[in-house]
Amino acid sequence: MSTSTQPSTPVGKTARWVDDRYTTSNALRRNLGKVFPDHWSFMLGEVALYSFVILLLSGTYLTLFFKPSMVDVIYNGTYVPLKGVKMTEAYASSLDISFDVRGGLLMRQIHHWAALFFVGAMTIHMFRVFFTGAFRKPREVNWVIGTVLVLLGIVEGFAGYSLPDDLLSGTGLRITQGIASAIPIVGTYVSFGLFGGEFPGTDFLPRLYAIHILLIPGIILALVTAHLLMVWYQKHTQWPGPGRTENNVVGYRFFPVYMAKAGGFFFIVFGVTTLISAFVTINPVWMFGPYTPDQVSAGSQPDWYMGFLDGAVRVMPNLELVFWHHTLSLNLIVPAVVLPGIMTLLLGAYPWIEQFVTGDKREHHLLDRPRNTPTRTALGVTAITFYLMLWVSGANDIIATTFESSINAITISLRILLFVVPPIAFTITKRICLSLQRRDNDKLLHGHETGRLLRLPHGEFVEIHAPLTQKEQAEILGKVDMPVLALETVDANGVAAPWALVNNLRNRLSSWFYAINVAKPSPAELEAAAGHFSHVSAVELEATHRHREFEALGGVLHQPSEDESVNH
Amino acid sequence: MKGKPAVNVSSSKRRRPMAAGVLLLLALVSTGAAYAVTTSALSAKSSSAANADNARQGKLLFTEGCSSCHGLAAQGGSNGPSLVGVGAAAVDFQVGTGRMPMAAAGVQARRKPPVYTQAEIDKLAAYVASLGPGPSVPKASQYDFSDANVAAGGEIYRLNCSQCHNYAGKGGALSDGKVAPQLMDASPKQIYEAMITGPQSMPVFSDRQIPAKNKQEIIAYINYLQSAPDPGGSALGRLGPVTETVFLFTVAIGALVAFAIWIGSKAR
Ligand code: HEM
């Protein structure tokens, strides 16, 4: 956009008009020129974002036909196997959407599959952030926002699939009501408050509807905006690589490259969701029948994101305490209230937990390769394994019928495996990480094995090793070897320091976290190793060549400038 | 996408002129009575003779194939329960679904291709029926569901059967390795027999609990489940959210990640 000459085209004139009033061009240029690093794993968050957009669009279509009412009607639509059956208006309108509204069934399936995608993509995106250490300072708050978003997504999905008031979701609501009532002292009040009296009543669905289409989407929208603004402002992290430091961002400008790719990816996500929704059934409410409290079907499972809770309730031993005619239902409180509470707290607080252990208070803009932080990676895998075991427990009856085995035996084994498998996963992951680190060091010092053998004049065979590319080298050398904490536990006079106990604990935890790491080769070792290759100069040549190529492709080596400095 | 349900059973009962019905009934009764009077002696003799004959042959078959578990006089043994008074329907169901003869001792006899022909099954049934009164094999008119209301059947099915057999008739787990089997292969006659004999852990649904008309409605609904199309596309085995999840994290998210990697690789 030129400012010296008068624009002649309509677009130019409009731009000028806007610019004269809001001086947007500066801000626009700065923001459109913003550089984003590139990696496929950075697109998982995008999948979540696009699924949310799909949810908003398809959900709005559904509101045109859905009736959130628990008033009884006699169904008289086109679906014969339910004709003449008494049901709530909510269920009847869900059937109408499925069978009598044009495009209704496709829209319901898009909405539901997108919901599964939404929570699924958020979860996998969270794993990416966790395993690469992207949650470290200065991005802790965004990690917390993410945690809240996942929770809201779960609650929103649960609210959504409870709306059609079918037998399956009604069963889920009944369990939820049981859990609410099990909360000590206030439980009954909570349950009566939620349902406006005895379960199921007639108030609950309209309330849930307001929560589902207004309250939670509103909060999610606000948090997503905050989340993205923070990514924008704090800049995206990047993988270690040639020319990449803690103080720059190497990648493509937002406009046009990144925007084109993001736009294209939106259509891919929309396309895949629609394709799946056109060919694969989800939540066939007509099969379940209307909800009535006196019916429950075998094989009742919730959507995947609620599965771990269902599983926790299923494997929990049946413990109840009775004091003075009051029952404390540990069988519900522990798996459905205490456990998710602890899981959420640990998740949200993890950045600070790790800081406490490592004492690492520096800013990080370069990501960790998961193998380079074996303890964190192993902790993550342990948590995921625990979660998966809970989810599998939620499918115990399906496993029993599919594999023709005893549900009692499966449940008892799951109780044991729940505590045995995660520690095993921890040990195995840690070992894999360490051996990958060793292999990296090996590659640095000896290069790639080429598989080509050379026979020396005196008859000995040696394998030819090829040097690493500059990119590979930079990736491996991007690893930061962290020192183990050595906080004071005694002061100069040999007297226990004030925080001796805490410091001692931190020293030990830090040593657990870091001590096993395989140190990077020293510069001297690297230099000696480089001598092995007669073609070091070739490596350098190759590197400069690649750099030119990168620039020629439109890549930008972005150095912080005045108006756009990385916030250090 | 619009679903066209396969079953189109009219729920409104056709009204026939009353007089014609009464007349027809009278005519039938009178001819029937006349016929009965003239042939009763003869037919009673021959049918009981045939029954006795069947039962005798059935006993032979029984001794050969069943007595090792149920005892020589079907009085029961350590490997099988007494069959006195279980009725012909129980035998027809158990042997007709291939459950009996049980292959090996296990928690439950499973459905498999039947070992005996229908003629042999009839003989076995006649033998067991001769031991004591019990439900007899239902006649075709009893399990004929062509006039039954599917929707009413769905209601009764969900109330009485779905807690064990699942909303879609996909079966479910019971305690200690027992299962309520899926109902996709059961014939109308077998469904009827299952209800009146209550095999293994299944309760008996007598005509007082579920009148014959409602039984036909249930059969109509199960028949619908067996043949219903899935208007929403592939139903992933109709197993509900468990298979949906597996599909989500393998095929669906797998496809998106593949696309992401593809786009990411175009960047370099
Ligand atoms: C934030 C993300 C959202 C999630 C995770 C979500 C999830 C769900 C789910 C799983 C269902 C059950 C669908 C079914 O199988 O029938 C549902 C139903 C529904 N949702 Fe949403 N939803 C979201 C946002 C919205 C929005 C923004 C609206 C409206 C503007 C909306 C409107 C509806 C309606 C009307 C139904 C009931 C339709 C029916 O069951 O036939 N949803 N939602």
Side-chain angles (χ1 to χ4, degrees):
Chain A
M1 264 164 270
S2 81
T3 41
S4 49
T5 57
Q6 286 298 323
S8 53
T9 61
V11 176
K13 281 184 182 148
T14 318
R16 182 59 177 267
W17 190 91
V18 174
D19 199 39
D20 282 349
R21 282 154 188 80
Y22 305 103
T23 44
T24 41
S25 64
N26 255 344
L28 253 182
R29 186 177 313 139
R30 201 166 57 220
N31 282 327
L32 288 181
K34 192 138 182 136
V35 167
F36 280 85
D38 224 332
H39 189 261
W40 68 266
S41 67
F42 299 166
M43 298 170 95
L44 293 166
E46 283 180 50
V47 177
L49 178 66
Y50 303 150
S51 313
F52 182 58
V53 175
I54 300 171
L55 282 167
L56 290 177
L57 295 175
S58 54
T60 306
Y61 186 81
L62 294 177
T63 58
L64 304 178
F65 308 100
F66 181 71
K67 301 194 186 78
S69 144
M70 292 173 98
V71 172
D72 282 331
V73 294
I74 302 293
Y75 177 70
N76 196 24
T78 44
Y79 184 69
V80 174
L82 283 172
K83 225 177 171 121
V85 171
K86 197 175 89 171
M87 56 181 65
T88 59
E89 239 182 321
Y91 185 63
S93 68
S94 298
L95 294 177
D96 289 342
I97 293 176
S98 306
F99 297 109
D100 297 306
V101 169
R102 197 163 295 279
L105 182 54
L106 180 63
M107 215 45 113
R108 266 196 61 234
Q109 302 207 136
I110 288 180
H111 193 65
H112 205 133
W113 276 118
L116 299 201
F117 267 130
F118 179 55
V119 192
M122 275 198 289
T123 309
I124 299 179
H125 168 63
M126 188 172 77
F127 293 164
R128 197 283 289 172
V129 170
F130 180 87
F131 287 118
T132 59
F135 57 81
R136 289 171 300 173
K137 191 179 170 188
R139 298 180 177 80
E140 304 98 321
V141 174
N142 231 6
W143 170 264
V144 176
I145 293 187
T147 310
V148 177
L149 276 171
V150 171
L151 287 182
L152 284 176
I154 292 173
V155 176
E156 175 72 350
F158 178 75
Y161 77 66
S162 299
L163 286 178
D165 204 23
D166 55 283
L167 184 55
L168 188 58
S169 68
T171 305
L173 274 185
R174 178 53 151 176
I175 296 170
T176 311
Q177 186 259 344
I179 292 166
S181 324
I183 302 172
I185 304 171
V186 295
T188 322
Y189 297 97
V190 172
S191 164
F192 270 67
L194 276 177
F195 290 89
E198 289 282 359
F199 177 87
T202 53
D203 290 347
F204 189 64
L205 266 190
R207 290 178 183 179
L208 201 65
Y209 190 56
I211 293 173
H212 180 75
I213 69 165
L214 195 67
L215 186 64
I216 300 182
I219 304 177
I220 290 182
L221 196 61
L223 287 179
V224 166
T225 313
H227 194 72
L228 293 179
L229 281 177
M230 267 157 107
V231 172
W232 197 277
Y233 181 70
Q234 297 185 320
K235 312 228 168 4
H236 203 294
T237 50
Q238 60 185 343
W239 288 102
R244 297 176 177 186
T245 71
E246 289 284 5
N247 301 312
N248 68 8
V249 184
V250 179
Y252 293 94
R253 295 218 180 272
F254 182 70
F255 185 84
V257 178
Y258 211 78
M259 221 153 115
K261 285 169 65 157
F265 196 46
F266 172 72
F267 286 108
I268 288 176
V269 174
F270 212 149
V272 169
T273 311
T274 310
L275 215 62
I276 287 173
S277 308
F279 290 109
V280 189
T281 308
I282 185 144
N283 199 24
V285 285
W286 57 90
M287 293 292 286
F288 306 143
Y291 180 65
T292 57
D294 58 357
Q295 295 176 5
V296 60
S297 166
S300 293
Q301 259 85 16
D303 267 11
W304 79 265
Y305 39 84
M306 293 296 285
F308 79 103
L309 272 183
D310 187 26
V313 174
R314 286 180 192 220
V315 288
M316 176 74 195
N318 191 14
L319 286 180
E320 280 184 349
L321 301 178
V322 180
F323 316 87
W324 301 287
H325 311 295
H326 289 281
T327 311
L328 187 66
S329 304
L330 293 177
N331 46 9
L332 278 179
I333 300 171
V334 172
V337 182
V338 178
L339 179 79
I342 294 177
M343 285 167 74
T344 313
L345 270 181
L346 284 178
L347 187 67
Y350 187 79
W352 290 278
I353 297 176
E354 195 180 295
Q355 270 173 26
F356 177 79
V357 172
T358 62
D360 181 2
K361 297 260 191 292
R362 295 169 309 164
E363 289 207 352
H364 293 277
H365 301 283
L366 281 179
L367 295 173
D368 281 330
R369 298 171 85 205
R371 67 184 67 175
N372 291 341
T373 48
T375 311
R376 178 201 297 148
T377 305
L379 278 176
V381 172
T382 311
I384 294 175
T385 317
F386 183 75
Y387 177 90
L388 272 178
M389 298 301 297
L390 285 182
W391 187 85
V392 168
S393 310
N396 60 356
D397 56 334
I398 303 276
I399 297 170
T401 39
T402 308
F403 299 102
E404 304 203 348
S405 39
S406 158
I407 192 167
N408 304 55
I410 290 176
T411 308
I412 291 171
S413 334
L414 280 169
R415 279 181 192 153
I416 299 168
L417 292 178
L418 190 58
F419 295 98
V420 173
V421 177
I424 295 177
F426 182 89
T427 317
I428 294 178
T429 312
K430 207 159 169 169
R431 293 208 173 171
I432 292 177
C433 288
L434 289 173
S435 62
L436 284 174
Q437 285 190 28
R438 270 186 222 106
R439 208 181 68 179
D440 280 350
N441 280 358
D442 219 49
K443 275 206 229 155
L444 271 184
L445 296 177
H446 307 298
H448 286 297
E449 293 175 356
T450 58
R452 276 184 295 144
L453 291 185
L454 191 68
R455 188 172 172 194
L456 299 179
H458 56 275
E460 188 192 338
F461 283 97
V462 290
E463 189 181 354
I464 297 181
H465 283 229
L468 302 188
T469 64
Q470 196 207 17
K471 182 163 178 289
E472 288 168 324
Q473 232 174 18
E475 255 168 29
I476 300 179
L477 287 174
K479 175 181 167 202
V480 186
D481 286 325
M482 287 288 295
V484 171
L485 276 188
L487 300 173
E488 279 192 357
T489 50
V490 285
D491 64 13
N493 303 325
V495 181
W499 289 96
L501 274 181
V502 176
N503 285 354
N504 199 5
L505 175 72
R506 292 184 64 183
N507 288 347
R508 283 212 245 149
L509 282 174
S510 152
S511 139
W512 168 72
F513 205 85
Y514 282 133
I516 35 96
N517 254 15
V518 183
K520 242 174 6 189
S522 68
E525 280 174 310
L526 280 174
E527 206 160 307
H532 286 317
F533 303 112
S534 49
H535 26 252
V536 186
S537 48
V539 177
E540 273 164 8
L541 246 176
E542 152 94 353
T544 35
H545 175 68
R546 285 179 71 87
H547 189 88
R548 293 238 179 78
E549 202 176 54
F550 179 72
E551 278 182 331
L553 280 171
V556 186
L557 243 178
H558 183 74
Q559 300 293 352
S561 58
E562 280 285 333
D563 59 342
E564 205 184 328
S565 65
V566 181
N567 44 328
H568 270 245
Chain B
M1 275 199 300
K2 270 202 167 184
K4 283 273 171 291
V7 197
N8 245 318
V9 183
S10 74
S11 53
S12 59
K13 275 154 232 101
R14 233 174 282 131
R15 279 177 184 279
R16 288 187 206 87
M18 189 74 157
V22 172
L23 245 158
L24 197 70
L25 201 75
L26 271 176
L28 275 174
V29 169
S30 53
T31 13
Y35 182 73
V37 167
T38 48
T39 59
S40 69
L42 188 69
S43 87
K45 190 162 169 264
S46 74
S47 86
S48 73
N51 263 347
D53 201 39
N54 260 349
R56 212 164 348 96
Q57 290 180 25
K59 185 172 169 55
L60 289 178
L61 285 168
F62 189 89
T63 313
E64 203 182 304
C66 324
S67 59
S68 58
C69 295
H70 290 287
L72 278 171
Q75 79 284 19
S78 51
N79 292 331
S82 159
L83 300 183
V84 177
V86 300
V91 176
D92 194 57
F93 173 82
Q94 297 282 346
V95 186
T97 59
R99 285 186 168 76
M100 293 294 143
M102 212 166 148
V107 284
Q108 186 173 359
R110 292 297 171 93
R111 190 184 173 104
K112 56 184 187 300
V115 175
Y116 292 88
T117 63
Q118 190 58 49
E120 289 168 329
I121 295 174
D122 291 343
K123 288 172 187 157
L124 281 167
Y127 165 64
V128 171
S130 72
L131 302 174
S136 48
V137 179
K139 291 192 251 335
S141 63
Q142 282 176 283
Y143 52 83
D144 170 31
F145 60 93
S146 47
D147 278 340
N149 179 342
V150 199
E155 279 288 90
I156 307 166
Y157 176 85
R158 281 189 292 275
L159 190 60
N160 294 288
C161 322
S162 73
Q163 72 270 39
C164 293
H165 289 288
N166 166 277
Y167 60 85
K170 283 292 168 183
L174 303 176
S175 58
D176 299 317
K178 290 183 204 138
V179 295
Q182 50 96 356
L183 302 178
M184 294 301 110
D185 307 316
S187 69
K189 181 177 163 210
Q190 288 165 354
I191 300 171
Y192 198 97
E193 287 170 344
M195 288 190 273
I196 58 175
T197 65
Q200 221 225 11
S201 334
M202 178 164 156
V204 174
F205 294 93
S206 70
D207 279 0
R208 233 180 322 133
Q209 283 155 301
I210 301 186
K213 175 169 166 275
N214 296 146
K215 286 198 170 87
Q216 289 159 9
E217 289 168 342
I218 292 183
I219 294 172
Y221 190 71
I222 295 177
N223 176 67
Y224 157 73
L225 290 176
Q226 290 172 342
S227 59
D230 291 306
S234 162
L236 303 174
R238 288 201 194 143
L239 286 175
V242 173
T243 41
E244 287 163 8
T245 305
V246 173
F247 179 84
L248 175 79
F249 282 99
T250 51
V251 182
I253 292 197
L256 284 183
V257 168
F259 271 118
I261 292 177
W262 177 64
I263 295 183
S265 75
K266 293 273 143 182
R268 264 184 251 128

